Amino acid sequence: MASSSSNGLVCFTNCLLPQEDGSLVEKDLWIDKRRGVILDAQRTFFLRKERPDEIIDVGGNILSPGYIDIQINGGFGFDFSVYEGDDQAYRDGLKLVAERIIETGVTALVPTIITQEKSLYPKLLHLLRPWSPPGAAHLLGWHVEGPFLQLAKRGAHSPPLIIPASDGFKTFESTYSPENLADAEDWLMGGDIDEDTVGVRIITAAPEVEGVMEAISTASKRGICFNIGHSICSTEIATAAVQNGARCITHLFNAMPQLHHRDPSIIGLLGSSPYTPSVPASDFAPLPYSAVNTQKQLTTSASGTPKRATPPPYASEAFDEIQTPPQTPAVRAAPSQSKGHKRLQSKSLTSTAAITPTSLGSRQSSQSANTSLSPSPFERPFYELIVDGIHSHPNSVRLAYSAHPDGCILITDAMKILDPHLKDGIHEWRDGRRFYKEGDKLYLEGTTTLAGSVIPLDKCVRNFARFTGCSLSEAIKCATFNPAKCLGIENKKGSLRAGADADLIVLNRQGEVLGTWVKGRLVWEKK
């Protein structure tokens, strides 16, 4: 590398720059090393009448914005969901992950915590305020999954801790604490945070759960990204949630109903028309929480006798702990006896919904009478994909990307055992249990039970290009610009725009990380 500059200007040359449309352009990139930001080269030259004193030859490789992982449960031995009463120990764990993860190309992440004891949320979310340890990835804030989830799609979330939002957004505040849900500006100003700090908050919840739908609008207006996940909601409810402010789908295909042609549910949002009818959220009344969550999960034997389903061999938070048949969602909207209103109706989990031509025509007529075209085009939500070849089949990944490429966000959903250098074999987990690692697969010791994700984000990007047939630069966009745009931070993160943070990675043509810069400083280089 060249010697340090005197004027702070650095020029990366002989490089390919990923564009926001997914293309690659051969072009130089200027940064201001002292301020840690990307520059408009032409404007800088004419205003400052200076050329960069430092020139870095990238060797014909790709110079990309750093990757952003918006859903990660831990890594390198530290679990974001485990707090043992020591604030400094928890901060040290965060710092460890931020320092180590840069070798995977991640320069910003959103630590994710799964369903907790209610009393722990205020403390954990306060500790997860935005923070940028020196020479490490940016910790952007927090992503909280739970406790407002659908029990039938709980994954590894603890059933006794899953609750309804009986008082709507007030329940969210009493759970997470009002200071953590304050307006974006007040939240950022509420601590020792630099004015240029980027901060984000994400909540994953099931919109059919009592009180959640009415909380979506308030949360989104306060700058919180609301995700649909761990849910069995119908197409109508999922659509209303998006129209009410929900912005993203948590780990698509996992912990949600399978795609059904008559009611494609959450997955079907990827195929929504711009002219999707607008249905007010007030048209949906939640089914009593106990009624939704105490339904027995049944299948039918060869003789036609119902029997309890065998839980699948999964322990990941994203996998389903309870099997539900392909014809779920089990909770869907249906016309009520009162004209112009809808209520939630429990459907049997043992059979498909009986839809005759007559009943279908009646429902369509009812929708036509009680809805109208949106005053503005329906915007399809972003969606997360875990591209390890385990959580979702490659064909499913390609299908989703083909339907809605601009909404695709790659995540790891990785557990604390994430470590590119961790050898295959047996490793300690928690509660006396141990893992057996085999490549990207993680099993509970002595079983074939999958225990979650251990794939780093740079490998997800390479897998994605292979699974979908898209270009490497298009795959890069799904780990940079798309997550940044979803969170509304694309002017500072995930792009090469003038004024954005100079968080950069150098990739070879195969997508392998060769070097990582954070705020214009080289923090990791492949030996």
Side-chain angles (χ1 to χ4, degrees):
M1 296 297 172
S3 60
S4 60
S5 65
S6 58
N7 64 8
L9 300 184
V10 180
C11 173
F12 293 89
T13 191
N14 190 18
C15 52
L16 296 170
L17 305 182
Q19 304 299 293
E20 294 173 12
D21 63 0
S23 62
L24 278 177
V25 173
E26 187 174 357
K27 187 179 179 182
D28 291 352
L29 183 75
W30 288 23
I31 68 169
D32 186 329
K33 193 174 187 177
R34 291 178 298 199
R35 293 166 51 214
V37 298
I38 296 170
L39 300 172
D40 179 322
Q42 188 175 37
R43 178 177 172 82
T44 301
F45 176 73
F46 283 109
L47 286 178
R48 293 178 56 168
K49 301 296 190 292
E50 290 181 313
R51 293 183 182 276
D53 283 347
E54 184 175 357
I55 308 294
I56 297 177
D57 188 335
V58 183
N61 290 304
I62 297 169
L63 181 66
S64 167
Y67 294 148
I68 304 171
D69 194 347
I70 69 171
Q71 184 159 354
I72 175 171
N73 302 293
F76 308 96
F78 183 71
D79 189 331
F80 298 134
S81 292
V82 175
Y83 174 71
E84 298 177 331
D86 186 334
D87 288 10
Q88 188 57 51
Y90 191 87
R91 295 272 289 183
D92 289 345
L94 291 174
K95 185 171 181 285
L96 171 69
V97 176
E99 290 173 338
R100 295 285 306 277
I101 204 167
I102 53 177
E103 69 176 278
T104 69
V106 172
T107 58
L109 65 149
V110 185
T112 304
I113 59 173
I114 63 172
T115 300
Q116 301 285 317
E117 292 281 355
K118 189 174 179 180
S119 61
L120 281 177
Y121 283 111
K123 168 62 74 175
L124 281 173
L125 299 189
H126 180 76
L127 288 169
L128 288 172
R129 292 175 62 78
W131 181 35
S132 298
H138 304 282
L139 298 154
L140 295 177
W142 46 260
H143 180 167
V144 59
E145 279 190 279
F148 310 110
L149 308 178
Q150 178 54 246
L151 196 63
K153 295 292 181 184
R154 67 182 180 267
H157 295 253
S158 177
L161 303 179
I162 294 173
I163 61 173
S166 303
D167 292 323
F169 193 75
K170 289 182 180 178
T171 305
F172 279 60
E173 288 187 310
S174 66
T175 300
Y176 303 135
S177 90
E179 70 172 25
N180 291 318
L181 299 184
D183 287 335
E185 185 176 351
D186 294 338
W187 174 65
L188 285 171
M189 293 175 61
D192 185 21
I193 296 177
D194 185 87
E195 61 179 10
D196 292 328
T197 297
V198 174
V200 303
R201 296 168 291 175
I202 306 170
I203 294 175
T204 290
E208 77 277 12
V209 167
E210 181 185 0
V212 170
M213 183 69 82
E214 64 184 89
I216 295 175
S217 178
T218 303
S220 63
K221 288 175 182 176
R222 294 190 180 189
I224 298 169
C225 179
F226 201 99
N227 283 21
I228 300 171
H230 291 274
S231 167
I232 58 173
C233 71
S234 67
T235 303
E236 292 93 337
I237 297 173
T239 300
V242 173
Q243 291 170 333
N244 210 32
R247 188 147 176 84
C248 189
I249 301 170
T250 291
H251 43 57
L252 187 74
F253 298 119
N254 291 276
M256 63 185 61
Q258 298 175 46
L259 186 68
H260 191 277
H261 60 287
R262 292 198 187 99
D263 191 346
S265 185
I266 301 164
I267 299 170
L269 291 172
L270 274 62
S272 297
S273 163
Y275 305 109
T276 297
S278 177
V279 182
S282 58
D283 279 1
F284 298 99
L287 195 69
Y289 188 74
S290 59
V292 176
N293 289 316
T294 57
Q295 295 179 90
K296 303 299 183 183
Q297 304 301 309
L298 302 174
T299 57
T300 305
S301 66
S303 63
T305 304
K307 62 179 183 180
R308 188 176 302 278
T310 303
Y314 303 140
S316 166
E317 72 84 17
F319 284 122
D320 296 342
E321 289 283 335
I322 297 175
Q323 287 181 329
T324 50
Q327 50 268 39
T328 55
V331 178
R332 57 180 295 139
S336 68
Q337 298 301 317
S338 175
K339 185 177 179 181
H341 292 277
K342 288 184 165 72
R343 61 181 174 83
L344 292 184
Q345 177 176 303
S346 175
K347 306 295 289 186
S348 169
L349 291 176
T350 62
S351 63
T352 58
I355 301 180
T356 65
T358 301
S359 65
L360 182 60
S362 299
R363 188 170 71 181
Q364 289 173 334
S365 298
S366 175
Q367 288 181 342
S368 298
N370 296 309
T371 64
S372 60
L373 291 181
S374 302
S376 58
F378 179 82
E379 291 189 18
R380 292 176 291 177
F382 290 88
Y383 59 94
E384 303 172 348
L385 283 173
I386 308 170
V387 191
D388 58 0
I390 302 164
H391 283 78
S392 297
H393 190 278
N395 291 4
S396 299
V397 171
R398 187 167 190 244
L399 189 67
Y401 183 65
S402 299
H404 186 19
D406 288 338
C408 183
I409 296 173
L410 305 185
I411 61 165
T412 62
D413 201 20
M415 302 183 70
K416 73 175 220 176
I417 203 169
L418 169 72
D419 184 344
H421 304 290
L422 193 68
K423 297 183 183 302
D424 287 355
I426 296 173
H427 303 276
E428 296 296 328
W429 188 21
R430 61 185 177 205
D431 302 326
R433 292 186 290 178
R434 299 198 294 179
F435 291 121
Y436 178 77
K437 180 179 179 293
E438 182 182 358
D440 291 332
K441 294 182 179 180
L442 198 62
Y443 303 97
L444 295 181
E445 183 189 16
T447 74
T448 57
T449 301
L450 286 167
S453 167
V454 290
I455 189 169
L457 194 54
D458 60 321
K459 189 168 184 181
C460 285
V461 171
R462 296 193 295 273
N463 281 350
F464 187 77
R466 184 161 52 90
F467 291 175
T468 65
C470 74
S471 67
L472 180 58
S473 58
E474 289 171 324
I476 289 169
K477 179 184 175 183
C478 297
T480 55
F481 183 72
N482 287 357
K485 187 175 182 182
C486 174
L487 298 172
I489 59 174
E490 68 271 26
N491 287 330
K492 296 292 289 183
K493 301 287 184 186
S495 73
L496 299 179
R497 296 179 179 181
D501 291 340
D503 300 338
L504 306 166
I505 55 176
V506 173
L507 307 168
N508 63 20
R509 302 298 180 92
Q510 289 72 47
E512 297 167 335
V513 182
L514 304 179
T516 305
W517 276 259
V518 173
K519 296 287 282 186
R521 304 280 176 173
L522 180 65
V523 294
W524 182 84
E525 190 171 20
K526 188 173 184 180
K527 304 301 183 185

